[in-house]
Structures are given as C-alpha cells and as structure tokens.
Amino acid sequence: LQVHTFRGPHWCEYCANFMWGLIAQGVRCSDCGLNVHKQCSKYVPNDCQPDLKRIKRVYCCDLTTLVKAHNTQRPMVVDSCIREIEARGLKSEGLYRVSGFTEHIEDVKMAFDRDGDKADISASIYPDINIIAGALKLYFRDLPIPVITYDTYSKFIEAAKISTPDERLEAIHEVLMLLPAAHYETLRYLMIHLKKVTLHEKDNFMNAENLGIVFGPTLMRPPEDSTLATLNDMRYQKLIVQILIENEDVLF
C-alpha cells in the first residue's frame, strides 16, 4: 500500500466514509487499486485478492487485477471474443483490419462491463464478426498497462533490431519471460489464435505481417508519450507481433 494523493473527492472503500484533506488523503494498493484511509488499511488483508464486487468493469481495468478478481488465467473478455471469432469468423475477409461500427463495439464493451462472462456476443445479436474483433482490440487498447508492459517495451524493441533471426528469437524469448503472468498468458493465448487466423489467409487475406500492423500498436505502447518514439518504433512493433505469431509454438 502506498500513500496516495487523490484528485477530487474520494471515499474510503473499506469504511465508505469521505477521505478528508488535500494531499496524501489515503493509501492505494499498487496491485489492485484499492483506496482506503490510512487507519483502515490495518484492517485490509494484504494478500490482495481484489473483491469482484469492487471491480465494477472489465474494460480499462488492470489486467493482473482483473484476472485475480475473477480467479482466471486470462481476462474472460479475451476468451469470449476469441471463442466467438474462431467459431464463425476465421474466413472473414480482412478480419481485424476491417472496422466494425463504433457504436456496436461500444455496446459489446458495455455488455462485458455489465454482464461479465454472461455477456451475449452471439451472431443473433452481432451478426458482423468485425464488431467482436473490434471489441477485442478495444479491450487491449483500453488497458492501463499494455499487454506488452511499459517495463519490457524498450527491451522488445531492442530485440527486434537484432539482425540475425536466431539471436533475435532468443532475445525475444528472454524478454517474454519478464512479463507478469497474466500478461504472458494473455499474449500466448492471443498469438495461438492469431496463428489460426493466418492459416485461413486464402480466405481472410490476413497474414502474420498484416496482423502485426494491426496488433503492434494495440499490444505495445512506448512508456513516454512521444509521437516521434511511436513513429520510429512502429515497424519494430509490427515485427515483434509478426515474429510472435510466426513462432508462437517455439516462443511460448
């Protein structure tokens, strides 16, 4: 638990009373985001199993927090979307590249936030598979810490710059080992899925390189928000995802 200064009025999530003061009003758990009075923090168990009732939403919630709260290996939104896409969308032309309607994607997001794993994303409600693909991409973009974490970002970019393919693969594998468990597992699961997408390239026209273009900036963002860094790194972001897809069986 770290002392935290809250902007705007804040209530303690243990005793539900107001946190007074302008600075350092309370403490926040860096793992699960729990906000409590300093004196209440004594009563909060520090094994940090975030309470599901506390975590109101699925999108924009820290990946590790979400899987701890749901007691799953990966976010169920990832499982649900991938299951749906593999059931009816693998041959869909331009899968992940073609955009679905923004309003419909927002509807899917709201359904997950409201109903969790009971959200209905079936063909009867969303016949256009691009909406489900869009909702999955949005989930990754909305993460406070990207799937490829800020901490490992520069190490991945450095690995991508290695010119010898075998050494590059080895370097990428080493950086993968540094990812937190929930991030690693989510990435592994997604890459197995994207590999399946590439097996239907003659129908969907999506190979590993095309998917790298789509998923590079979705899965990794530079720690400091500089446009220049982003532009310079784009081809390496694409390359990392491309290599992860092509070598998922070796890397994970």
Side-chain angles (χ1 to χ4, degrees), residues 60-63 136-157 179 183 214-227 229-231 233-234 236-238 240-241:
C60 307
C61 175
D62 175 66
L63 188 62
L136 181 62
K137 286 190 299 185
L138 180 65
Y139 171 74
F140 292 132
R141 279 201 303 274
D142 274 356
L143 285 171
I145 299 171
V147 177
I148 287 178
T149 58
Y150 293 127
D151 289 347
T152 57
Y153 179 89
S154 59
K155 294 186 179 75
F156 272 107
I157 297 289
L179 288 173
H183 288 251
V214 174
F215 276 96
T218 305
L219 296 174
M220 53 195 304
R221 306 190 284 276
E224 63 291 325
D225 210 13
S226 94
T227 322
T230 313
L231 287 172
D233 292 350
M234 268 174 87
Y236 297 113
Q237 292 175 348
K238 181 205 79 171
I240 286 290
V241 175

Side-chain angles (χ1 to χ4, degrees), residues 7-140:
R7 279 188 287 227
H10 238 85
W11 281 263
C12 171
E13 293 176 41
Y14 181 80
C15 70
N17 286 317
F18 187 67
M19 294 190 188
W20 294 98
L22 291 172
I23 57 162
Q25 303 95 320
V27 292
R28 160 174 280 176
C29 172
S30 53
D31 288 335
C32 70
L34 180 76
N35 302 314
V36 289
H37 285 113
K38 284 182 202 141
Q39 63 272 31
C40 290
S41 66
K42 298 198 281 284
Y43 308 110
V44 178
N46 42 8
D47 59 350
C48 179
Q49 182 66 22
D51 186 349
L52 249 186
K53 291 192 291 293
R54 258 184 225 301
I55 293 173
K56 295 286 187 285
R57 53 185 190 186
V58 172
Y59 278 68
C60 307
C61 175
D62 175 66
L63 188 62
T64 302
T65 305
L66 192 71
V67 301
K68 273 189 180 177
H70 288 259
N71 202 14
T72 53
Q73 278 189 296
R74 339 169 256 282
M76 55 78 194
V77 62
V78 174
D79 283 26
S80 297
C81 290
I82 286 179
R83 203 164 40 237
E84 197 63 33
I85 290 162
E86 291 188 353
R88 60 185 172 100
L90 287 176
K91 293 183 175 179
S92 174
E93 192 176 322
L95 182 67
Y96 289 116
R97 196 182 58 218
V98 177
S99 299
F101 277 124
T102 310
E103 302 87 278
H104 293 164
I105 292 172
E106 284 294 326
D107 281 351
V108 174
K109 172 181 172 172
M110 277 162 56
F112 277 120
D113 281 344
R114 186 184 62 234
D115 307 326
D117 53 5
K118 302 195 177 44
D120 186 353
I121 57 170
S122 63
S124 55
I125 303 189
Y126 302 106
D128 178 5
I129 198 66
N130 296 315
I131 292 161
I132 309 305
L136 181 62
K137 286 190 299 185
L138 180 65
Y139 171 74
F140 292 132

Side-chain angles (χ1 to χ4, degrees), residues 14 66 94 120-121 142 146 197-198 203 213 244 248:
Y14 181 80
L66 192 71
D120 186 353
I121 57 170
D142 274 356
V197 173
T198 65
D203 296 302
I213 294 168
L244 290 175
E248 56 78 19

